[in-house]
């Protein structure tokens, strides 16, 4: 039996309605957890005053410099916390398996550990993709981590470090998977654990992995290195299934929702209700495959496109990742080694060349894509641009040499 | 004293031990899928195996009792394995179709909505807010709970022209990311500086360097080294606040919400796009933020009524044109919608393409 509950008239209004209520969950925990009683007190205060009351600090586990998000209350009277049992409310960021799969036994063990050492509140998952064990006293951080670590789980990233990666459900349950997303994400992150657990980069660095251009992991606008599946041979068409789809959905539906929605006009409906595809014009956008997924599918010669530099607002504004590798196979051990080496090059270049608090996208904007590619050892490719330069403000002293390089590459 | 325990630096765990056996067996060998009803996916493998997935909404921040209840359901009505989507929905996988309905019935009886698939409004991806963040302008879990109450029908039904993916963010860093509709804090006043604290707490040169408009400069205030802000230049972004908490940007009255539409991560049809500002100055009004819900519903209702099949909100707005977007949603168009940030001229209409 915990201490007496504080009145929470504002939060109480979030217990009604059909969606599951986190407030009801917090109150249930508060029945026998003093930290939760006081957490509710502080949260209610925030709702009343519309102000936040947490500050960061330095809390960690032995051997690591990151992975714990320290939170100390700033809600004090005469220097003493108003809600003392929630005066420390730290979070442990823990990396899930790729695709966020769990068996029930593992989930129950998480609950037992967190009931023993923490508040009993766990978020599945944070925006970076971590399991967030929320609400822990400074003293309990180490023993809680030790038990989670013994289960085979490790802390994720925080601060200027490699962050927790994300990969889609992919090959485990999706017909559009173009490579082994889980293996790729694991390899990228586990290759950079030193830069994750001992934060010393200019700023954060994120890997995200999506199995096809639907990009369910939102990698293009969030990841410093986005790995997105694609294919370079013809997409596969089962004409009997196309006919069956047309017969069921109707020609008008197919014309309006498949044929004319192709961004490069690469599709045409034949007179016999089969599909004609102009594959060289296809940009692998996925739309027609999404609509007719039984009839259409990615080709057999699959691989990945890499984009670099996606990020959110601060400081210079939102940036999408841009293509740095249009296509590479991702099948053999050698393919994976190639990606591991390239990712290391990029991370090292970022560590050495970015300014403090600068993401890869801002760095590329500052130094130019060509300098970045040269720095990490990648060759230029017209797939990296939407269109060529539109201004004459450049010097081309060595134009002939550069043109000769193109001729040489084209001859290969 | 005993030796300290050093961490086992195991990194991301392997997927395989946590994978449903049918997913393991057919890894990389899936053929096609269908959605028999909202919230249910049926995937068929090249081997002929089938797996049914039932997707349910959760509150994301879950107490251990809720998690144990969800696991009891997984053991009793499913096959002992679950996974989570990027939007905090839980997914149960079952290898027999006959298990789907009893699983749905149980989840619904326990208050977990079934949906979030296909052209529905899925769960809002969100940030921490007052519950745990050190720089929040609002609460995320609460605003999302209130909105999802209003959007319950749209989560459990697939009635939208295409999928709708929403996000919220408690500051302008925008951890919530891009969304068809994004609901983000927008500060409207420059930071209030506690000059007694700046020298103790802040590394002044790095704070100066953080400002996107070079509005911060070192200054001596009351005989102490501090920082001052050129309030005419300041765009109230709050970038100075995380490295320098004495530059308080959050304001109970003047930190508002802005609403953005047309963010899209997928490459389907159009290239990925960033979201665009459509409304601002919306009050930060806990515990249920009714003014936010009202505008979101205005946008969703107009989109639902007017967009063609497969158009995302941004694609719909691009087709009908922004004048019609503001007309159909009833939202005011202001000078603040006209981009004046660097590169902003790219967002102006440099053509005679006008719709009448």
């Amino acid at each position: 039996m915990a201490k007496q509950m504080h009145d929470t008239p504002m939060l109480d209004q979030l217990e009604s309605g059909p969606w599951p209520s986190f407030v009801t969950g917090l109150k249930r925990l508060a029945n026998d957890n003093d930290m939760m009683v006081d957490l509710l007190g502080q949260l209610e205060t925030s709702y009343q005053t519309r102000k936040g009351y947490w500050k960061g600090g330095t809390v960690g586990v032995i051997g690591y410099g990151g992975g714990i998000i320290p939170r100390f209350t700033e809600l004090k009277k005469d220097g003493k916390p108003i809600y003392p049992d929630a005066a420390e409310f730290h979070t442990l960021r823990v990396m899930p398996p790729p695709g966020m799969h769990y068996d029930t036994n593992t989930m129950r063990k998480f609950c037992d550990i967190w009931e023993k050492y923490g508040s009993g509140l766990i978020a599945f998952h944070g925006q970076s993709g971590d399991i967030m064990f929320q609400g822990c006293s400074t003293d309990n951080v180490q023993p809680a981590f030790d038990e989670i670590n013994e289960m085979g789980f490790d802390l994720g990233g925080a601060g200027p470090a490699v962050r927790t990666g994300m990969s889609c459900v992919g090959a485990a349950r999706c017909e559009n998977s173009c490579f082994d997303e889980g293996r790729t994400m694991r390899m990228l992150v586990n290759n950079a654990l030193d830069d994750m657990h001992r934060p010393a980069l200019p700023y954060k660095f994120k890997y995200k992995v999506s199995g096809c251009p639907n990009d369910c992991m939102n990698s293009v606008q969030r990841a410093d290195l986005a790995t997105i599946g694609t294919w370079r041979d013809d997409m596969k068409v089962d004409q009997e299934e196309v006919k069956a789809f047309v017969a069921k959905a109707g020609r008008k539906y197919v014309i309006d929702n498949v044929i004319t929605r192709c961004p490069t006009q690469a599709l045409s409906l034949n007179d016999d209700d089969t599909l004609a595809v102009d594959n060289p014009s296809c940009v692998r956008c996925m739309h027609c495959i999404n609509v007719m997924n039984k009839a259409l599918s990615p080709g057999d010669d699959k691989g990945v496109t890499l984009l670099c530099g996606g990020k959110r607002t601060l400081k210079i504004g939102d940036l999408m990742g841009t293509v740095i590798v249009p296509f590479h196979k991702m099948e053999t051990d050698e393919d994976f080694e190639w990606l591991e080496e390239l990712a290391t090059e990029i991370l090292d270049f970022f560590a050495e060349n970015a300014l403090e608090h600068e993401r890869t996208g801002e760095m590329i904007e500052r130094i130019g894509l060509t300098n970045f590619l040269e720095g990490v050892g990648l060759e230029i490719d017209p797939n990296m641009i939407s269109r060529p330069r539109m201004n004459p403000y450049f010097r081309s002293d060595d134009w002939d040499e550069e043109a000769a390089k193109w001729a040489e590459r084209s001859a290969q | 004293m005993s030796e300290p325990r050093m961490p086992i630096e195991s990194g991301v765990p392997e997927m395989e031990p946590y994978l449903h056996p049918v997913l393991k067996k057919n890894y990389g060998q899936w053929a096609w899928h269908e959605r028999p009803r909202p919230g249910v996916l049926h995937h068929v493998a090249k081997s002929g195996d089938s797996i049914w997935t039932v997707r349910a909404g959760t509150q994301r921040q879950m107490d251990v009792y809720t998690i144990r209840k969800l696991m009891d359901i997984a053991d009793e009505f499913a096959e002992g394995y679950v996974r989570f989507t990027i939007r905090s929905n839980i997914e149960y996988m079952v290898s027999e179709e006959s298990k789907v309905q009893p699983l749905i019935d149980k989840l619904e009886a326990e208050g977990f909505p079934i949906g979030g698939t296909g052209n529905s409004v899925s769960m809002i991806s969100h940030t921490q807010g007052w519950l745990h963040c050190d720089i929040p302008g609002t609460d995320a879990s609460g605003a999302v709970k209130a909105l999802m109450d209003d959007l319950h029908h749209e989560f459990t039904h697939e009635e939208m022209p295409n999928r709708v993916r929403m996000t919220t963010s408690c500051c302008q860093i925008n951890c919530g990311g891009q969304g068809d509709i994004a609901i983000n804090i927008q500060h409207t006043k420059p930071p209030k500086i506690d000059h007694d604290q700046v020298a103790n707490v802040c590394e002044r040169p790095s704070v100066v360097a953080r400002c996107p408009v070079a509005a911060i400069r070192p200054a001596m205030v009351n005989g102490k080294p501090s920082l001052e802000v050129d309030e005419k230049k300041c765009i109230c972004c709050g970038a100075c606040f995380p490295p320098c908490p004495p530059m308080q940007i959050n304001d109970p009255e003047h930190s508002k919400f802005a609403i953005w539409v047309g963010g899209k991560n997928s490459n389907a049809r159009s290239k990925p796009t960033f979201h665009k500002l459509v409304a601002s100055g919306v009050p930060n009004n806990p515990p249920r933020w009714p003014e936010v819900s009202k505008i979101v519903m205005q946008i969703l209702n107009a989109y639902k009524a007017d967009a063609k099949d497969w158009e995302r909100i941004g694609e719909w707005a691009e087709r009908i044109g922004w004048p019609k977007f503001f007309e159909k949603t009833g939202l005011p168009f202001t000078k603040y919608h006209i981009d004046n940030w660097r590169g902003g001229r790219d967002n102006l209409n440099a053509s005679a393409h006008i719709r009448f």
Side-chain angles (χ1 to χ4, degrees):
Chain A
M1 189 60 198
K3 65 200 247 184
Q4 202 190 336
M5 297 270 265
H6 307 286
D7 283 341
T8 53
M10 296 279 265
L11 292 172
D12 293 351
Q13 295 176 56
L14 289 168
E15 289 201 89
S16 58
W19 195 260
S21 169
F22 73 103
V23 173
T24 305
L26 298 183
K27 285 186 168 180
R28 174 98 191 263
L29 290 169
N31 279 334
D32 35 36
N33 184 318
D34 287 346
M35 179 187 270
M36 255 317 153
V37 174
D38 276 4
L39 186 276
L40 280 162
Q42 172 159 331
L43 189 58
E44 174 71 16
T45 309
S46 282
Y47 271 66
Q48 305 274 359
T49 61
R50 306 181 190 189
K51 287 160 87 169
Y53 295 103
W54 298 112
K55 67 171 180 187
T58 311
V59 178
V61 298
I62 292 166
Y64 287 173
I68 309 294
I69 312 297
R71 289 293 177 255
F72 297 92
T73 187
E74 284 191 292
L75 197 53
K76 292 178 182 172
K77 197 177 176 189
D78 305 327
K80 288 184 180 156
I82 296 174
Y83 298 102
D85 287 305
E88 298 168 352
F89 196 77
H90 315 313
T91 283
L92 280 71
R93 287 186 176 171
V94 174
M95 291 191 282
M100 297 166 173
H101 300 270
Y102 302 97
D103 64 295
T104 53
N105 189 32
T106 300
M107 295 288 280
R108 289 180 202 282
K109 275 193 206 160
F110 284 153
C111 291
D112 294 345
I113 292 171
W114 205 235
E115 202 164 46
K116 188 166 151 196
Y117 295 110
S119 72
L121 184 69
I122 314 178
F124 289 94
H125 298 82
Q127 282 298 99
S128 289
D130 293 283
I131 313 165
M132 296 193 296
F133 291 84
Q134 298 188 302
C136 193
S137 65
T138 307
D139 288 346
N140 277 351
V141 165
Q142 184 72 48
F145 165 68
D146 288 344
E147 288 201 20
I148 293 168
N149 194 209
E150 291 294 335
M151 284 176 68
F153 288 81
D154 199 1
L155 289 187
V162 168
R163 297 298 188 89
T164 300
M166 290 177 92
S167 59
C168 61
V169 67
R173 203 200 55 200
C174 181
E175 65 272 17
N176 295 329
S177 165
C178 290
F179 64 109
D180 190 337
E181 303 84 0
R183 178 182 172 187
T184 305
M185 189 275 270
R186 249 191 109 220
M187 180 199 72
L188 288 168
V189 173
N190 288 356
N191 180 48
L193 288 178
D194 193 38
D195 278 316
M196 167 176 278
H197 291 139
R198 289 154 205 97
L201 295 174
Y203 198 21
K204 64 182 87 168
F205 190 100
K206 297 186 175 185
Y207 296 111
K208 296 196 192 294
V209 177
S210 286
C212 82
N214 281 323
D215 195 5
C216 292
M217 290 300 101
N218 307 349
S219 66
V220 68
Q221 54 95 4
R222 303 199 299 169
D224 293 281
L225 186 62
T227 307
I228 300 179
T230 189
W231 66 97
R232 61 181 170 184
D233 58 342
D234 293 354
M235 66 182 257
K236 292 201 278 193
V237 182
D238 181 334
Q239 297 289 9
E240 290 311 308
E241 288 292 345
V242 172
K243 283 189 202 171
F245 187 92
V246 178
K248 197 174 166 205
R251 280 198 192 115
K252 181 175 167 57
Y253 182 89
V254 174
I255 290 165
D256 288 350
N257 291 289
V258 182
I259 308 297
T260 59
R261 286 228 176 274
C262 174
T264 51
Q265 289 85 50
L267 299 177
S268 174
L269 189 65
N270 294 323
D271 289 340
D272 63 354
D273 290 344
T274 58
L275 190 69
V277 184
D278 170 17
N279 276 288
S281 296
C282 169
V283 288
R284 280 70 177 157
C285 87
M286 295 302 293
H287 173 75
C288 60
I289 295 176
N290 291 343
V291 181
M292 306 170 69
N293 81 82
K294 204 172 176 182
L296 308 177
S297 47
D300 291 318
D301 192 9
K302 295 171 181 174
V304 296
T305 297
L306 303 183
L307 297 91
C308 187
K311 63 171 283 290
R312 295 298 303 122
T313 310
L314 299 176
K315 167 182 172 179
I316 68 171
D318 307 49
L319 298 174
M320 291 281 182
T322 51
V323 173
I324 57 164
V325 175
F327 184 85
H328 199 284
K329 295 290 282 181
M330 200 49 56
E331 276 174 8
T332 63
D333 289 346
E334 288 73 33
D335 295 332
F336 281 85
E337 276 164 32
W338 167 83
L339 180 58
E340 189 175 296
E341 278 169 27
L342 177 62
T344 305
E345 281 289 329
I346 293 170
L347 194 57
D348 288 349
F349 186 87
F350 170 65
E352 282 167 28
N353 292 284
L355 304 176
E356 191 211 331
H357 215 257
E358 190 176 57
R359 292 282 293 272
T360 49
E362 289 160 313
M363 176 185 71
I364 291 170
E365 180 123 338
R366 179 170 53 82
I367 67 174
L369 181 66
T370 316
N371 285 331
F372 172 73
L373 294 172
E374 207 175 287
V376 300
L378 288 171
E379 290 197 334
I380 59 161
D381 187 296
N383 285 301
M384 294 171 182
I385 59 170
S386 292
R387 63 193 73 87
R389 165 194 297 279
M390 291 190 282
N391 60 68
Y393 298 143
F394 66 101
R395 273 186 66 157
S396 54
D397 306 32
D398 59 349
W399 177 274
D400 291 342
E401 286 159 44
E402 291 298 319
K405 281 187 201 167
W406 170 256
E408 202 179 306
R409 274 204 304 273
S410 305
Q412 279 170 5
Chain B
M1 200 177 139
S2 61
E3 285 285 303
R5 177 190 176 277
M6 294 308 285
I8 304 164
E9 207 156 351
S10 48
V12 183
E14 280 186 58
M15 185 196 309
E16 206 180 317
Y18 309 101
L19 211 48
H20 186 287
V22 174
L23 302 191
K24 202 182 295 181
K25 182 187 162 202
N26 297 286
Y27 196 85
Q29 298 298 321
W30 295 94
W32 59 278
H33 81 278
E34 61 184 348
R35 300 194 310 277
R37 54 153 281 176
V40 179
L41 307 169
H42 170 218
H43 285 87
V44 179
K46 290 172 188 165
S47 67
D49 287 352
S50 273
I51 194 90
W52 283 265
T53 300
V54 175
R55 184 180 292 177
T58 75
Q59 58 272 58
R60 189 176 98 144
Q61 326 286 135
M62 285 186 280
D63 56 289
V64 291
Y65 304 104
T66 298
I67 298 168
R68 287 180 183 134
K69 186 193 287 175
L70 289 166
M71 294 308 109
D72 289 345
I73 296 171
D75 284 331
E76 196 181 338
F77 292 86
E79 294 165 352
Y81 292 88
V82 298
R83 71 173 293 270
F84 288 87
T85 71
I86 190 172
R87 316 191 81 78
S88 299
N89 299 313
I90 191 168
E91 291 186 337
Y92 293 85
M93 279 71 65
V94 293
S95 56
E96 289 166 42
E97 191 177 8
S98 61
K99 292 181 179 175
V100 171
Q101 195 56 46
L103 175 58
I104 289 173
D105 293 343
K106 178 63 179 173
L107 284 164
E108 283 182 339
E110 296 290 348
F112 298 100
I114 307 297
T117 51
N119 46 331
S120 64
V121 179
S122 190
M123 166 66 164
I124 300 166
S125 72
H126 70 84
T127 50
Q128 294 286 1
W130 290 326
L131 180 69
H132 199 261
C133 185
D134 58 340
I135 54 171
T138 188
D139 195 39
S141 320
V144 167
K145 155 69 178 155
L147 265 166
M148 289 312 293
D149 281 341
D150 292 341
L151 293 169
H152 186 264
H153 177 87
E154 301 300 347
F155 180 87
T156 55
H157 294 75
E158 296 180 350
E159 294 173 354
M160 287 290 163
N162 198 347
R163 65 194 58 222
V164 178
R165 298 294 177 259
M166 291 172 54
T167 69
T168 66
S169 292
C170 311
C171 76
Q172 286 176 226
I173 292 174
N174 194 0
C175 300
Q178 294 292 323
D180 289 288
I181 302 178
I183 303 151
N184 299 345
I185 279 285
Q186 183 84 21
H187 304 296
T188 62
K189 291 280 187 282
K192 287 187 187 131
I193 306 173
D194 180 351
H195 292 289
D196 289 339
Q197 290 296 323
V198 171
N200 301 333
V201 182
C202 315
E203 193 186 325
R204 293 190 302 153
S206 56
V207 181
V208 170
R210 278 303 163 88
C211 179
V213 292
I216 304 174
R217 55 190 173 230
M220 293 294 282
V221 182
N222 303 329
K224 288 180 184 169
S226 186
L227 295 163
E228 65 182 13
V229 172
D230 181 341
E231 299 203 346
K232 282 203 177 110
K233 272 183 168 177
C234 177
I235 50 171
C236 314
C237 71
C240 51
F241 177 49
C244 189
M247 300 182 75
Q248 181 59 250
I249 189 72
N250 290 314
D251 183 291
E253 181 65 25
H254 300 293
S255 291
K256 305 283 191 183
F257 275 106
I259 295 177
W260 309 70
V261 307
K264 169 176 170 290
N265 302 293
S266 166
N267 289 272
R269 302 168 304 282
S270 49
K271 286 184 180 180
T273 50
F274 289 128
H275 49 231
K276 274 75 68 174
L277 177 75
V278 293
S280 196
V282 187
N284 180 16
N285 197 0
R288 295 196 71 94
W289 293 270
E291 298 85 355
V292 171
S293 290
K294 181 169 173 279
I295 294 174
V296 167
M297 295 314 290
Q298 270 174 268
I299 295 166
L300 282 175
N301 289 337
Y303 166 65
K304 191 175 180 179
D306 195 61
K308 294 181 178 175
D309 287 350
W310 296 97
E311 275 177 344
R312 296 280 290 264
I313 291 181
E315 294 169 309
W316 163 62
E318 295 287 337
R319 175 175 61 81
I320 65 172
W322 290 100
K324 280 280 186 315
F325 174 89
F326 286 98
E327 188 186 309
K328 285 179 188 292
T329 55
L331 296 170
F333 178 75
T334 72
K335 66 180 180 182
Y336 298 108
H337 291 99
I338 300 173
D339 194 349
N340 60 356
W341 188 241
R342 69 182 73 154
R345 281 201 90 214
D346 284 352
N347 292 329
L348 308 184
N349 184 4
S351 76
H353 289 202
I354 308 284
R355 294 170 180 82
F356 297 98

